Amino acid sequence: MNARRWAGDLAMGARFAFTGGREGWIRALLTGVGVGLGVALLLLTAAVPSILDTRHQREAARQDYLLSPAKIPAADDTVVVAHSDTVWHSQDVRGRMLQPEGAKAPLPPGIDRFPATGEMYVSPALADLLKSPGTALLRERLPGKVVGTIGDSGLIGSRELAYYAGSEHLAPLIGKASVERINHFGDTSDQGSEPLDPVLLLLVLMVFVVLLTPVAIFVATAVRFGGEQRDRRLAALRLVGCDG
């Protein structure tokens, strides 16, 4: 019996919301838009720490420099890495030249094999950029032809410009011009994931509170749109004996 009464009250409330003519429909539409914007901002706020943490983990997983000054001798499980970053129209392009020194040489995240000399793997964003007109100088600057794309695990963002290229002449340059021999990619120190900086978290929350304030005002205004007509209806219902 209570369920039937609850359903009847709900149906009556829906009828009041949508049968008030143009004002009723406009009020419902504005309220829905305002609530949708508020929910979207709240979900985005909750997702920011996870996004930043994932970005940090991917950056740490592809670390290709030694934290200790000790030199690693050439072995079956080493690879020589040279930094070959460049800039194109104020956009940073992350570049790495690779020379594996054995069958067990570690692969960087995002590729399934080492590129041969004259080959390179590029990020999807860089691949699109190279196909666009007016990038002939950039294509000439990069060391090789594109043979594949870097996977998401090797990128910190979908729009990052990056490439891995193969080379056979890096070993004699170790210790010069950002050339180094490593036996693993990523930071293997057991430090765990660092928590988000409290100051940064507070700033993020403040930004979204500021953004939510006009949304809350918008929703409140939309709810009161046509409020006089709704108040008259409620007064009439109370006069005929309806409860709260």
Side-chain angles (χ1 to χ4, degrees):
M1 192 69 181
N2 290 335
R4 182 180 300 177
R5 181 176 180 181
W6 179 83
D9 291 343
L10 182 61
M12 183 171 61
R15 193 160 60 248
F16 286 157
F18 294 103
T19 59
R22 181 180 300 177
E23 291 183 354
W25 282 102
I26 293 177
R27 181 174 60 250
L29 177 62
L30 292 178
T31 303
V33 171
V35 172
L37 288 175
V39 171
L41 286 175
L42 288 175
L43 291 176
L44 184 58
T45 304
V48 165
S50 177
I51 294 172
L52 295 178
D53 185 60
T54 300
R55 179 187 177 94
H56 172 74
Q57 290 179 4
R58 289 186 178 182
E59 180 67 32
R62 69 182 188 181
Q63 178 180 300
D64 52 14
Y65 55 87
L66 298 176
L67 296 177
S68 62
K71 299 299 181 180
I72 297 178
D76 195 42
D77 61 347
T78 58
V79 58
V80 182
V81 181
H83 292 206
S84 54
D85 301 336
T86 186
V87 177
W88 175 255
H89 291 182
S90 301
Q91 299 183 79
D92 294 330
V93 181
R94 182 181 188 270
R96 295 295 186 269
M97 305 288 291
L98 304 174
Q99 180 183 349
E101 296 184 300
K104 298 180 181 179
L107 278 168
I111 62 176
D112 54 5
R113 71 172 181 87
F114 284 104
T117 302
E119 297 179 346
M120 64 179 181
Y121 283 80
V122 300
S123 64
L126 182 56
D128 294 338
L129 180 62
L130 293 175
K131 295 176 183 176
S132 61
T135 58
L137 292 177
L138 177 61
R139 287 194 293 270
E140 294 176 0
R141 192 185 304 172
L142 299 184
K145 65 177 182 179
V146 177
V147 295
T149 56
I150 303 173
D152 293 340
S153 60
L155 304 170
I156 60 173
S158 60
R159 302 308 303 167
E160 183 183 17
L161 304 178
Y163 70 87
Y164 289 111
S167 177
E168 296 178 347
H169 311 289
L170 299 180
L173 302 177
I174 293 176
K176 302 177 182 179
S178 300
V179 181
E180 195 166 14
R181 176 183 287 118
I182 60 175
N183 56 13
H184 66 272
F185 283 90
D187 184 3
T188 58
S189 60
D190 188 14
Q191 298 178 350
S193 60
E194 297 181 0
L196 186 65
D197 188 346
V199 177
L200 178 59
L201 181 59
L202 180 60
L203 289 176
V204 171
L205 292 177
M206 290 179 61
V207 168
F208 281 96
V209 166
V210 172
L211 292 176
L212 281 173
T213 299
V215 175
I217 297 175
F218 178 80
V219 173
T221 304
V223 170
R224 292 306 304 167
F225 184 81
E228 297 83 1
Q229 182 181 9
R230 183 171 60 252
D231 292 341
R232 288 196 299 268
R233 287 184 174 186
L234 293 176
L237 289 173
R238 285 193 293 270
L239 288 175
V240 298
C242 289
D243 56 17

